[in-house]
Amino acid sequence: MTLPPQPVFTLLANDGRARSGALALTHGIVETPAFMPVGTAATVKSLTPNDLREFDTRIILCNTYHLWLRPGRETIEALGGLHAFMRWERNILTDSGGFQVFSLESRRELSEAGVRFRSHIDGSAHEFTPENVIAFQEGLGVDIAMTLDVCVKLPASREEIDEAVRLTSRWAQRCAAARAQPRTQLFGIVQGGLDEHARERSASDLVAIDFPGYAIGGLSVGESREELYRMARFTASLLPIEKPRYLMGVGTVRDLVAAIDCGIDMFDCVYPTRCGRNGRALTRAGDLNIRNACFARDAGALDPTCACSVCATHTRAYISHLFRSNEILGPRLLSYHNLALLAQLMRDARAAIITGTWTAFYEATLAALTIPG
Amino acid sequence: MTLPPQPVFTLLANDGRARSGALALTHGIVETPAFMPVGTAATVKSLTPNDLREFDTRIILCNTYHLWLRPGRETIEALGGLHAFMRWERNILTDSGGFQVFSLESRRELSEAGVRFRSHIDGSAHEFTPENVIAFQEGLGVDIAMTLDVCVKLPASREEIDEAVRLTSRWAQRCAAARAQPRTQLFGIVQGGLDEHARERSASDLVAIDFPGYAIGGLSVGESREELYRMARFTASLLPIEKPRYLMGVGTVRDLVAAIDCGIDMFDCVYPTRCGRNGRALTRAGDLNIRNACFARDAGALDPTCACSVCATHTRAYISHLFRSNEILGPRLLSYHNLALLAQLMRDARAAIITGTWTAFYEATLAALTIPG
């Protein structure tokens, strides 16, 4: 194994626990804090690569589980790898498939070797092992691969959490040993549910392997906001200051700024694109249901503070009409706006951290969230 | 009534029956032959106004029936008219609603005064009259309005066709008399099914009213290709040479070039966008079902002769994957390509007519259609 050049992450500034950095990857530099749009099946739903570049997306996330099943590694490799396949020449992070497989529940079987599962598409049998998910992600040519982890559904017993942490650590070692492509960085995933001792053990095991970055998994799965923030803050404190920290599954305005305040650098979530398809507009004041009758003749932009091309062009009234008429331009425009809004939020957060005005920005962002929900 | 300045149409060249001209409207000049993308509910499905400009769309069609029901005239007027509502600053033609209402069949009731119908959305009762459909279209601020016509389902008896022609002519007179906005041109619609005598009578009645343009309605409704071309050619020959001729409901590569060869100038059809949503790619060789297994690893463009941004960017393999995965980027990319391909076909047809090479272009276009279907 050829080790990648170190460091890939440079911490540029911090303000309290909040941090801003530069993550140098094979397909360019990612400024952090960064939100990664989710492109599950090699497509950020409804948007083109050009759309994503318009709001300066530097990295997206794709799902190993979905790409494994369809179109499969051989097809993607035959088309020149995942970047060429989807015509996205910036960075890609793939998850390991662990999260999706564990959500299959009755359709999967766990062992020390790995996890056997049946496809949700056609019921066909598959197995993920630490080794084959690394080979898969490296075969796609992604910039960041994730270790195969064991996700437990909360609430879980102490024994379940301990066993998940043990197996996650063991698999992380096997993933690290399986690496063969220096172009692909490998991040470890800290598990441990809401148990601080388990989080400490998991973080300690992973830090000993010395990954170039660490994810915090097993959160944003139904626990309260306070528990999420507490565990994110606690787990971040266990991780090396010079490595990027990625909190999986967080994507609301409130949770993003709160998690940045906990010392997190990277995020992904289906929330902005799922809301985009369902008629929910993210704004700096909170979320709006654009189908609501009050928007039918509203000539304003989705968010008057937003500089995206949808807000510069279209009215709430028109987008409301598109959703009432089940027109597919509605999900497209709203997905674009929601992701562009989070991209601007991250840019503003970085500027606040760099200029030492993070606390004021953080408090003003929370105070502006006046819409309940 | 203030009469519009005449002429709005300048015939630039003809080559055999094929013609090329310039149609001067309130929102700019339309070069003909022209294909008008269909934006039923104030949106060309999945595409933005900016997309349409990328392949130099100069005019789109919207549907009176759909906009009447949702969002309704008052909402569109409150938002500044249809151009402002949908942020499309080029030309818009609206149909009169006749075609949609007559397809409701059991839900509508015809009289000399107009046609009463029930909404397909909520069953609410409405009435179209020659006067109110003109007021509606002028209220939206469109560039070309259509007269309210009576469409009969084919096959139809002689009596049914004669009565439809009589009422269409009577309503055309009332539509012309109802005009109040010089910014909106009014086109008459020739009916008469597949009956040459009825077509002659209809054309004669409408030409006597002296519209700035004429549509040929009641075709492309299930008759054979040969009957379509025969009736289009025959009806075109009845219309004044100095006025634009619009064949409603035609939008395949083969039918478009055949109809241009009949002397037609303008077209609309849902075909390219409907195909786009269903995975059917229009090409100069014929239509492809992009879901077909043979495209799963095809690194070529949808149409290697197409200069659109989708063909410049994405592979058949990727678009095939999007459709197999039910990803909404698939319909978006394919709708874009299909409309861009027809825009290029129209541009090439205009160039061939202007340069006197129409016959060679026409024959080469038909000869290139090697894919059956």
Side-chain angles (χ1 to χ4, degrees):
Chain A
M1 185 186 103
T2 312
L3 278 170
Q6 294 281 353
V8 294
F9 185 67
T10 305
L11 193 59
L12 301 172
N14 70 296
D15 188 353
R17 275 182 299 261
R19 301 141 49 98
S20 181
L23 180 62
L25 298 168
T26 305
H27 289 81
I29 289 173
V30 178
E31 297 169 90
T32 66
F35 179 81
M36 300 183 281
V38 176
T40 301
T43 162
V44 175
K45 291 186 193 301
S46 84
L47 302 182
T48 62
N50 193 52
D51 292 335
L52 299 170
R53 281 191 296 269
E54 284 179 2
F55 42 86
D56 204 21
T57 306
R58 303 291 185 90
I59 183 167
I60 63 169
L61 177 146
C62 296
N63 290 113
T64 284
Y65 170 80
H66 292 278
L67 296 175
W68 177 289
L69 297 179
R70 194 167 56 193
R73 176 177 171 179
E74 287 176 14
T75 293
I76 295 175
E77 288 193 21
L79 274 299
L82 187 55
H83 294 82
F85 180 62
M86 64 183 294
R87 294 292 191 260
W88 172 250
E89 78 294 355
R90 296 187 179 181
N91 294 295
I92 302 175
L93 178 151
T94 37
D95 68 3
S96 63
F99 183 78
Q100 276 77 24
V101 165
F102 285 95
S103 70
L104 294 173
E105 301 199 9
S106 66
R107 288 166 162 268
R108 48 95 179 158
E109 191 186 326
L110 181 66
S111 72
E112 182 74 29
V115 54
R116 293 176 182 276
F117 61 96
R118 291 196 173 274
S119 160
H120 74 285
I121 301 168
D122 62 6
S124 56
H126 300 266
E127 181 173 19
F128 281 163
T129 67
E131 291 75 17
N132 76 11
V133 298
I134 296 304
F136 181 82
Q137 295 177 84
E138 288 188 343
L140 301 192
V142 302
D143 302 281
I144 301 178
M146 302 302 299
T147 54
L148 187 64
D149 58 336
V150 180
C151 308
V152 292
K153 201 175 163 186
L154 297 182
S157 70
R158 178 123 200 191
E159 290 68 31
E160 285 175 297
I161 290 174
D162 286 350
E163 173 59 14
V165 165
R166 186 195 67 77
L167 206 48
T168 294
S169 295
R170 179 65 199 121
W171 286 359
Q173 290 166 339
R174 286 169 54 193
C175 285
R179 282 193 65 219
Q181 288 287 352
R183 68 184 175 193
T184 302
Q185 303 295 330
L186 178 63
F187 281 21
I189 306 176
V190 180
Q191 289 289 350
L194 301 178
D195 178 332
E196 294 194 354
H197 295 297
R199 288 276 166 190
E200 279 177 331
R201 205 161 49 251
S202 183
S204 165
D205 289 351
L206 292 169
V207 170
I209 302 172
D210 192 24
F211 288 102
Y214 298 91
I216 302 173
L219 293 180
S220 200
V221 292
E223 74 283 4
S224 73
R225 236 177 235 157
E226 290 64 36
E227 286 175 309
L228 166 64
Y229 303 159
R230 178 178 64 85
M231 289 310 301
R233 193 181 306 114
F234 178 76
T235 310
S237 74
L238 304 171
L239 296 170
I241 200 161
E242 72 281 8
K243 300 291 176 71
R245 304 160 183 168
Y246 157 31
L247 179 58
M248 306 177 102
V250 159
T252 69
V253 170
R254 182 186 300 277
D255 287 350
L256 287 167
V257 292
I260 291 169
D261 195 62
C262 295
I264 307 294
D265 307 302
M266 300 167 67
F267 306 92
D268 83 285
C269 194
V270 297
Y271 187 75
T273 39
R274 181 171 288 164
C275 286
R277 296 195 298 286
N278 294 337
R280 207 167 167 87
L282 275 58
T283 82
R284 291 284 184 107
D287 295 357
L288 307 175
N289 179 352
I290 199 64
R291 280 192 182 82
N292 196 302
C294 67
F295 300 124
R297 294 190 188 176
D298 185 334
L302 288 171
D303 182 333
T305 73
C306 178
C308 87
S309 66
V310 171
C311 285
T313 308
H314 294 292
T315 61
R316 288 172 171 179
Y318 181 63
I319 298 169
S320 184
H321 163 70
L322 294 176
F323 273 93
R324 289 148 190 269
S325 301
N326 296 313
E327 285 286 349
I328 54 179
L329 184 58
R332 171 179 165 184
L333 295 181
L334 209 45
S335 296
Y336 183 105
H337 160 78
N338 285 351
L339 287 177
L341 184 108
L342 293 189
Q344 293 168 85
L345 182 71
M346 294 297 103
R347 185 200 60 202
D348 293 350
R350 292 193 298 265
I353 296 163
I354 298 270
T355 57
T357 57
W358 167 254
T359 304
F361 173 79
Y362 172 50
E363 286 172 358
T365 301
L366 292 183
L369 288 168
T370 52
I371 299 169
Chain B
M1 184 185 105
T2 313
L3 278 171
Q6 295 279 356
V8 293
F9 185 68
T10 305
L11 193 59
L12 300 172
N14 70 295
D15 187 353
R17 277 182 297 262
R19 303 141 48 97
S20 181
L23 180 62
L25 298 168
T26 304
H27 289 82
I29 289 173
V30 179
E31 297 170 88
T32 66
F35 179 81
M36 301 183 282
V38 176
T40 301
T43 162
V44 176
K45 290 185 194 301
S46 84
L47 302 182
T48 62
N50 192 52
D51 291 336
L52 299 169
R53 281 192 296 269
E54 284 179 3
F55 43 85
D56 205 21
T57 306
R58 302 292 185 90
I59 183 167
I60 63 168
L61 177 146
C62 296
N63 290 113
T64 283
Y65 170 80
H66 292 279
L67 296 175
W68 177 289
L69 298 179
R70 195 167 54 192
R73 176 177 171 180
E74 287 175 15
T75 294
I76 296 174
E77 288 193 19
L79 274 299
L82 186 55
H83 294 82
F85 180 62
M86 65 183 294
R87 294 290 191 263
W88 173 250
E89 79 293 356
R90 297 188 179 180
N91 293 294
I92 302 174
L93 177 151
T94 37
D95 67 3
S96 63
F99 183 79
Q100 275 77 26
V101 165
F102 285 95
S103 71
L104 293 173
E105 301 199 10
S106 64
R107 288 166 161 268
R108 48 96 179 156
E109 192 186 327
L110 181 66
S111 73
E112 183 72 29
V115 55
R116 294 176 181 275
F117 62 96
R118 291 195 173 274
S119 160
H120 74 286
I121 301 169
D122 61 7
S124 56
H126 300 266
E127 181 173 20
F128 281 162
T129 66
E131 291 77 16
N132 76 11
V133 298
I134 296 303
F136 181 82
Q137 295 177 85
E138 289 187 343
L140 301 191
V142 302
D143 302 281
I144 301 178
M146 301 303 299
T147 54
L148 187 65
D149 58 337
V150 180
C151 309
V152 292
K153 201 175 163 187
L154 298 181
S157 70
R158 180 122 198 192
E159 290 68 30
E160 286 175 295
I161 289 174
D162 286 350
E163 173 58 13
V165 165
R166 186 195 68 77
L167 206 49
T168 294
S169 296
R170 178 68 199 118
W171 285 1
Q173 289 165 338
R174 287 168 54 192
C175 284
R179 281 193 65 219
Q181 289 288 353
R183 68 185 174 192
T184 302
Q185 303 294 330
L186 179 62
F187 281 21
I189 306 176
V190 180
Q191 288 289 349
L194 301 178
D195 177 334
E196 293 193 355
H197 295 296
R199 288 275 167 191
E200 280 178 330
R201 205 161 49 251
S202 183
S204 166
D205 289 351
L206 292 169
V207 170
I209 301 172
D210 192 23
F211 288 102
Y214 297 91
I216 302 173
L219 293 180
S220 199
V221 292
E223 75 282 5
S224 72
R225 234 176 237 157
E226 291 64 34
E227 286 175 309
L228 166 64
Y229 303 160
R230 179 177 65 82
M231 289 311 300
R233 193 181 306 114
F234 178 75
T235 309
S237 75
L238 305 171
L239 295 171
I241 199 160
E242 72 281 9
K243 299 290 178 70
R245 303 158 183 170
Y246 157 31
L247 179 59
M248 307 176 101
V250 160
T252 69
V253 170
R254 182 186 300 279
D255 287 350
L256 287 167
V257 293
I260 292 169
D261 195 63
C262 295
I264 307 295
D265 307 303
M266 298 166 68
F267 307 92
D268 82 285
C269 193
V270 296
Y271 188 76
T273 40
R274 181 171 289 165
C275 286
R277 296 195 298 286
N278 294 337
R280 207 169 166 86
L282 275 58
T283 81
R284 291 286 183 104
D287 296 356
L288 308 175
N289 179 353
I290 199 63
R291 279 193 183 83
N292 196 302
C294 68
F295 300 124
R297 295 190 188 176
D298 185 335
L302 289 170
D303 183 333
T305 73
C306 178
C308 87
S309 66
V310 171
C311 285
T313 308
H314 294 292
T315 60
R316 289 173 169 178
Y318 182 62
I319 297 170
S320 184
H321 163 69
L322 294 176
F323 273 94
R324 291 149 190 268
S325 302
N326 297 312
E327 284 287 348
I328 53 179
L329 184 58
R332 171 179 164 184
L333 295 181
L334 209 45
S335 296
Y336 183 104
H337 161 78
N338 285 351
L339 287 177
L341 185 107
L342 294 189
Q344 293 169 84
L345 181 71
M346 294 297 103
R347 185 200 60 201
D348 293 350
R350 293 193 297 266
I353 296 163
I354 298 269
T355 57
T357 57
W358 168 254
T359 304
F361 173 79
Y362 173 49
E363 287 173 358
T365 301
L366 292 183
L369 289 167
T370 52
I371 300 169

